Amino acid sequence: MVEEVVSTATKENRTTMTDAAVNPLKAGLEDVVVSPSEICYIDGHKGRLIYRGYDVDDLVAQSTFEEVTFLLWQGRLPSRKELDAHLKALASTANRKLPPKLIAMLKMLPKKTTPMEVLRTGVSALSAFDPDAADNGREATLRKSLRLTAQLPTLVAAWERIRRGKAPVAPNPRLNLAGNFLYMMSGKKPTPLATKTFDIALILHADHEFNASTFAARVTAATLSDVHSAVVAGISALKGPLHGGANEQVMLMVEKIKDPAKADAWIHKALADKARIMGFGHRVYRVEDPRAKHLKRLALELGQQVGDTSKVQILDTVVRVVGAEKHIFPNVDLYSGAAYAAMGISTDQFTPIFAMSRIAGWTAHVLEQHGNNRLIRPRSDYTGAIDLKYVPLSER
Ligand code: COA
């Protein structure tokens, strides 16, 4: 009897198992359209990325991360007056600083706690201190989104200092978000090239349509949960090595290869061993990720500034071999780590840095979801048994 029931859930007739009108199964929801959205467009065949109508290449050339956050949240570019007010709010100490009790809480964590664990825990705790915590209206969510965007760099930098036994550095309201982050990490004013590179990296990571972490944030928001909870969901999804964690894995690979002269043989062996090469492949792009070229250029410029271009040389060889053997292209995570490493940033901070930027996208998506909400509740393709006869414990 059991076998018979199980056999009804085979591949051939599995769509009949669910009583709703069901689409054919798409593993990993590949190409499934979940909802309309006006925030971000990806052309996977032409390799284009558009935020609110603007090509990311133009934003990299002419905009700033701060302006991009306004664009993503408000749906349009700001006037001079609006931008000035926005810059002031994002840079203010009131918005950037962490509650002293949160710093005390960070100091209680074991030093081995990873920066992503700290970020996930810290954002969750920040909601307890937020004056708008109980208000889920659009204006309050905008204020919370801005505060979180201003607080995240302080949180990431504070943990870097605390885990090294140093005192956190107070935010400097005269520095932009990128420059201030680098300053709070090291205690030294960053070079203009480092600040500009970091700002561009933030622009490039700010949004990417319905990627896994944004979808997680939207699913959370769609229950009418608050923006802090949605961001915690986003951080949790970003943490995995198939998503934001890939940039750390790329750098671990570069560290293993060490010498550009050994890269060719190393990567051939990895491919022969059927290894998944981090920083390559994408669910949507069928050509090179449009963000990769910017990060490659910046990683090279920064490498030249610090007198070490070996990481970029290793990655260039990896790109050549993986492209020829597997016909897959670099994604955003391939070169970003080499740029961050040239700024002296530890490898396990790469994914938190990704989150410091993607917070702009997550929060824009929460605002959009709340603006036209319906609970996100898909169906499963049930392949288990049905109608099993319950056997009392005494008879098993
Ligand atoms: N290294 C080696 N092979 C890869 C690969 C990679 N990075 N990415 C994809 N492939 C291969 C798979 O082995 C598979 O080949 P097969 O059909 O012969 O089995 C094929 O390409 C499709 O891979 P699949 O995992 O089904 O694609 P996906 O759309 O589910 O995965 C990613 C997309 C991003 C998860 C995937 O490309 C990956 O794991 N990349 C590495 C992690 C990474 O860089 N993530 C950051 C994304 S921005």
Side-chain angles (χ1 to χ4, degrees):
M1 178 62 192
V2 173
E3 277 83 51
E4 220 180 284
V5 173
V6 171
S7 74
T8 63
T10 57
K11 226 177 181 176
E12 291 70 49
N13 62 1
R14 57 171 55 160
T15 53
T16 61
M17 292 297 291
T18 308
D19 53 7
V22 184
N23 295 320
L25 184 70
K26 296 261 194 157
L29 298 182
E30 180 165 358
D31 288 334
V32 171
V33 174
V34 172
S35 146
S37 175
E38 295 182 351
I39 299 173
C40 182
Y41 174 64
I42 302 171
D43 186 330
H45 293 282
K46 292 194 182 130
R48 291 189 73 196
L49 172 59
I50 312 273
Y51 297 164
R52 299 278 194 188
Y54 297 94
D55 195 304
V56 81
D57 289 347
D58 293 336
L59 296 171
V60 162
Q62 300 179 64
S63 187
T64 60
F65 176 64
E66 283 86 342
E67 185 176 58
V68 166
T69 63
F70 186 101
L71 175 67
L72 290 171
W73 294 335
Q74 303 290 357
R76 60 177 175 82
L77 289 173
S79 66
R80 177 79 256 173
K81 201 171 153 212
E82 285 172 328
L83 182 61
D84 286 345
H86 187 65
L87 290 174
K88 205 170 158 200
L90 272 173
S92 76
T93 303
N95 284 328
R96 279 182 176 170
K97 73 171 193 297
L98 298 178
K101 282 185 180 162
L102 186 70
I103 300 269
M105 199 190 94
L106 295 182
K107 288 183 178 164
M108 282 159 50
L109 293 171
K111 293 276 190 297
K112 67 171 184 32
T113 313
T114 68
M116 275 308 269
E117 289 169 320
V118 171
L119 191 64
R120 193 187 56 212
T121 305
V123 169
S124 193
L126 276 170
S127 78
F129 298 95
D130 198 288
D132 288 311
D135 187 346
N136 260 357
R138 181 176 163 83
E139 289 310 311
T141 301
L142 270 169
R143 287 193 296 274
K144 288 189 274 190
S145 300
L146 186 140
R147 252 192 308 275
L148 272 170
T149 306
Q151 286 164 331
L152 247 56
T154 319
L155 178 59
V156 173
W159 179 245
E160 184 63 27
R161 308 277 305 177
I162 289 168
R163 71 171 171 170
R164 293 180 189 283
K166 296 180 180 166
V169 174
N172 180 343
R174 286 186 301 284
L175 298 176
N176 69 3
L177 193 139
N180 177 57
F181 170 69
L182 295 173
Y183 164 68
M184 290 189 298
M185 288 286 273
S186 67
K188 292 185 219 113
K189 288 245 177 85
T191 64
L193 178 63
T195 303
K196 186 67 197 155
T197 300
F198 203 81
D199 185 60
I200 291 175
L202 293 175
I203 293 174
L204 291 170
H205 288 84
D207 197 45
H208 214 226
E209 203 222 35
F210 274 49
N211 60 90
S213 59
T214 302
F215 187 51
R218 281 192 83 127
V219 169
T220 307
T223 68
L224 294 185
S225 189
D226 60 284
V227 69
H228 282 82
S229 302
V231 169
V232 171
I235 291 170
S236 305
L238 187 73
K239 187 169 176 285
L242 292 188
H243 190 8
N247 56 10
E248 294 183 32
Q249 299 300 322
V250 170
M251 205 39 54
L252 297 177
M253 173 179 77
V254 168
E255 279 160 16
K256 271 188 215 149
I257 299 175
K258 267 196 199 109
D259 179 356
K262 294 190 177 141
D264 192 293
W266 194 96
I267 199 70
H268 270 108
K269 180 168 184 323
L271 289 174
D273 293 345
K274 306 250 175 285
R276 188 156 284 240
I277 315 298
M278 295 293 142
F280 285 86
H282 201 273
R283 178 60 68 74
V284 183
Y285 293 117
R286 294 291 158 244
V287 292
E288 184 173 298
D289 183 329
R291 302 166 294 179
K293 61 180 180 294
H294 296 290
L295 291 160
K296 174 182 168 164
R297 172 176 53 83
L298 294 163
L300 188 62
E301 280 174 28
L302 275 169
Q304 283 161 346
Q305 193 178 66
V306 299
D308 176 13
T309 55
S310 64
K311 293 186 178 62
V312 178
Q313 287 174 46
I314 288 171
L315 291 173
D316 284 348
T317 302
V318 172
V319 169
R320 177 173 51 73
V321 174
V322 173
E325 300 282 323
K326 294 281 296 184
H327 309 292
I328 49 174
F329 300 95
N331 59 45
V332 69
D333 291 314
L334 193 74
Y335 287 100
S336 59
Y340 302 146
M343 295 177 202
I345 297 172
S346 333
T347 304
D348 61 0
Q349 289 287 17
F350 296 174
T351 315
I353 288 172
F354 192 153
M356 276 168 40
S357 164
R358 186 57 56 84
I359 181 109
W362 291 332
T363 49
H365 281 270
V366 170
L367 286 160
E368 187 176 66
Q369 186 67 42
H370 280 175
N372 183 19
N373 192 57
R374 187 148 193 246
L375 180 76
I376 298 173
R377 201 298 186 196
R379 297 297 307 271
S380 75
D381 174 32
Y382 180 68
T383 56
I386 50 173
D387 291 340
L388 293 181
K389 191 173 173 327
Y390 184 80
V391 181
L393 190 54
S394 58
E395 293 171 29
R396 273 179 251 157

